[in-house]
Amino acid sequence: MGNLRSRITSWFTRRYFARVQKKGLDLSKIALLPDDVLMPLRRDGLDPVPELGRKRAEEPVSKLPVPFGLNVWLVTGYDEAKAVLGDAKTFSNDFTNLVGKTSARAEDNPGGLGFSDPPVHTRLRKLLTPEFTMRRLARLKPEIETIVNERLDVIAEADGPVDLVEEFALPIPSLVICELLGVPYSDRAEFQHLAVQRFDLFGGAAASLGAISESLEYLLTVVRKERENPGDGLLGMIIKEHGDEIEDRELAGLADGVLTGGFETTASMLSLGALVLLQDREMFKRIHDDDEPVHGFVEELLRYLAVVQVAFPRFAREDVEVGGVTIKQGDMAIVSLSGANRDEKLGQGLEIFDGTRPPMSHLAFGYGVHRCVGAELARMELRAAYPALVRRFPSMRLAVPVEDLEFRKTSAVYSVEKLPILVD
C-alpha cells in the first residue's frame, strides 16, 4: 500500500506543480480588472492587505467597481457577513444566477451543495450530513494518522531541503478524500490529477468549468461502479441507505463538492499553519509538548488565516438592506471571510495571531445552511498533522528567508507556493 501511495502522490504533485509553473496562463483578463476589485483577494504575507481592514471599518458593505454592468457588493463586517450568509431566503447560491452574467453556461452547472438553494440544497445536505458526523468520521482517524506518518517518513528520508507543500500539505487531504469517498486505489492517481485541474483558476472561468465537467464525468464512473457494488466509503454508504433517492449525477455533484471543499483548502491550511509554527517557536514548543493546545491553536489558525478568502457569490432575490446599504434584486454580494474574521466586534487584537486565544465564532467554514459540511473532517486532519510534524522534526526550520517565500497573488483559496524546510 505504501508503494502505491507513493506513486499516487508522485503523479499528483507532478501535475500540481506543472499547473503552478506552466507558462502561457491567461492572466490578461485578471490583470484588466481594477485593483479595487481584486483587493479582497490580495494579501501581504499571511495578512489581508490593510485596505481591507480600512474598508471594513469605514464601509462594511461597499460597492465594487466591477465592469461589464454587474452590481457587486463587498461585505467585510462580521455582522453583515452573517446577515448575508445566514439568509438563504433572500440570497441565492443557485448556479443559474451566473448564466448570462458570466461566461458560465447552464450545462456547466456542477450541482452539489455550493451552487444550490433550498429545497434542493436541503434534500442533498440531509443525504450527506450523516456521513460527516463524528461517529462516521471516527473510522477515518487511524487512516489519517497512517497517511500523516507515511508523509513524515518521506520527509525524513529526503536529502537536503524538503518542500512541505509538495511532500506534506498536498498529499494528506487528497489521500484522505480518496479514503472518505471510497475511491479505489487503482483510480486514485486519476482522481488526484482531476482534483488539481479543477483548481486551475488562472486559466479563466471557461477552463475551470471545463475541468469541473471532466471531474464530474470521472466521478460519474466512480458512482456507477459503487452503484453496482457499494463499499464502505461515503458514496457506498449513501447508495446503501438512500440509493433510490438520488440520481447518479446528483451524487457525483455531491462528491465533487466534497473535493472542492476539502482538498485545496485543507492543503493551504497545512502549509500556512506550518509556516506560522516555524515563526512562533513558543507555540511550536507548546504543540510539541502537549496535546491540549492543538485544539485552540487550530481554531485560531482557521480564524486568522481564513484561507478561503471569499464565500460563494450570493444573488439578492429582492431588495434588501444590509449594514445600512440597499442591495437590489439581482445584485451580487461577495462576503470577505478573511475580512469578517478580523472584525473588532469579535474581540481586540484580531490582526495578530495568538495561539492561546480562546476559540471564537469565526467564519472560516462559512455560516448558515451553506456552512462547510466537512468542517470536522478538516479539523481532524489539522489536529493530527501539526503535532505529528513538530514531534517528528523538533529542529525543523525554514530553508530560505521568510521574505523569499512566494504566495499566491490573486486566489480565492490563499496559500504559499512552496515551503522549503530543513530537518535534522
Side-chain angles (χ1 to χ4, degrees), residues 60-342:
V61 180
S62 59
K63 189 132 179 226
L64 284 176
V66 177
F68 320 121
L70 288 174
N71 287 326
V72 181
W73 299 89
L74 175 65
V75 183
T76 51
Y78 178 78
D79 290 340
E80 293 79 7
K82 288 182 68 176
V84 173
L85 299 177
D87 188 356
K89 292 183 178 179
T90 305
F91 290 96
S92 170
N93 277 51
D94 195 280
F95 184 85
T96 56
N97 290 298
L98 298 171
V99 178
K101 298 179 181 178
T102 69
S103 60
R105 304 168 301 170
E107 56 267 31
D108 295 323
N109 189 348
L113 298 176
F115 285 112
S116 63
D117 292 332
V120 173
H121 176 274
T122 306
R123 179 178 66 83
L124 294 176
R125 192 171 180 108
K126 282 183 178 179
L127 299 178
L128 195 59
T129 298
E131 301 306 316
F132 285 92
T133 62
M134 290 307 297
R135 181 178 64 84
R136 292 278 180 94
L137 291 176
R139 67 182 173 83
L140 291 175
K141 186 175 181 182
E143 188 63 27
I144 291 173
E145 292 174 351
T146 297
I147 290 169
V148 169
N149 287 326
E150 286 180 354
R151 300 318 306 164
L152 297 179
D153 290 342
V154 171
I155 293 172
E157 294 170 2
D159 186 16
V162 178
D163 181 10
L164 272 186
V165 175
E166 178 179 359
E167 301 294 357
F168 185 75
L170 289 168
I172 289 173
S174 61
L175 289 168
V176 169
I177 290 174
C178 284
E179 195 68 31
L180 171 70
L181 293 179
V183 175
Y185 276 97
S186 59
D187 290 349
R188 293 190 178 188
E190 176 65 13
F191 176 83
Q192 292 175 84
H193 158 59
L194 292 170
V196 172
Q197 274 193 322
R198 63 171 296 114
F199 288 104
D200 186 4
L201 301 180
F202 295 106
S208 182
L209 290 169
I212 292 172
S213 177
E214 185 179 356
S215 173
L216 283 169
E217 288 303 315
Y218 166 73
L219 288 169
L220 267 173
T221 66
V222 175
V223 166
R224 286 164 182 159
K225 290 179 183 177
E226 287 289 313
R227 185 81 73 175
E228 295 174 1
N229 185 25
D232 295 328
L234 181 147
L235 295 176
M237 295 300 293
I238 291 179
I239 288 170
K240 289 176 184 177
E241 298 176 9
H242 306 284
D244 295 336
E245 302 172 35
I246 187 166
E247 298 176 351
D248 287 355
R249 186 166 185 83
E250 276 189 320
L251 185 51
L254 283 182
D256 190 69
V258 171
L259 171 61
T260 301
F263 164 51
E264 193 154 1
T265 52
T266 303
S268 296
M269 281 297 302
L270 287 169
S271 300
L272 295 179
L275 176 58
V276 169
L277 282 170
L278 287 165
Q279 296 181 94
D280 188 340
R281 302 309 296 193
E282 181 178 346
M283 182 53 59
F284 188 108
K285 186 176 186 304
R286 285 171 59 87
I287 299 299
H288 178 278
D289 293 346
D290 189 2
D291 287 329
E292 189 60 31
V294 73
H295 294 268
F297 170 74
V298 165
E299 290 308 306
E300 173 68 352
L301 269 185
L302 289 165
R303 180 204 68 81
Y304 175 75
L305 294 175
V307 296
V308 180
Q309 303 203 84
V310 295
F312 278 100
R314 265 63 171 180
F315 289 83
R317 301 175 191 264
E318 59 190 48
D319 291 2
V320 59
E321 184 175 309
V322 180
V325 172
T326 298
I327 299 176
K328 293 188 174 294
Q329 180 181 4
D331 287 0
M332 181 192 297
I334 300 293
V335 175
S336 169
L337 303 178
S338 57
N341 272 352
R342 298 191 178 203

Side-chain angles (χ1 to χ4, degrees), residues 324-363:
V325 172
T326 298
I327 299 176
K328 293 188 174 294
Q329 180 181 4
D331 287 0
M332 181 192 297
I334 300 293
V335 175
S336 169
L337 303 178
S338 57
N341 272 352
R342 298 191 178 203
D343 194 325
E344 288 189 355
K345 293 177 183 176
L346 284 170
Q348 297 298 313
L350 297 188
E351 296 292 346
I352 298 171
F353 173 81
D354 180 0
T356 65
R357 195 191 309 272
M360 58 182 59
S361 184
H362 59 74
L363 300 179

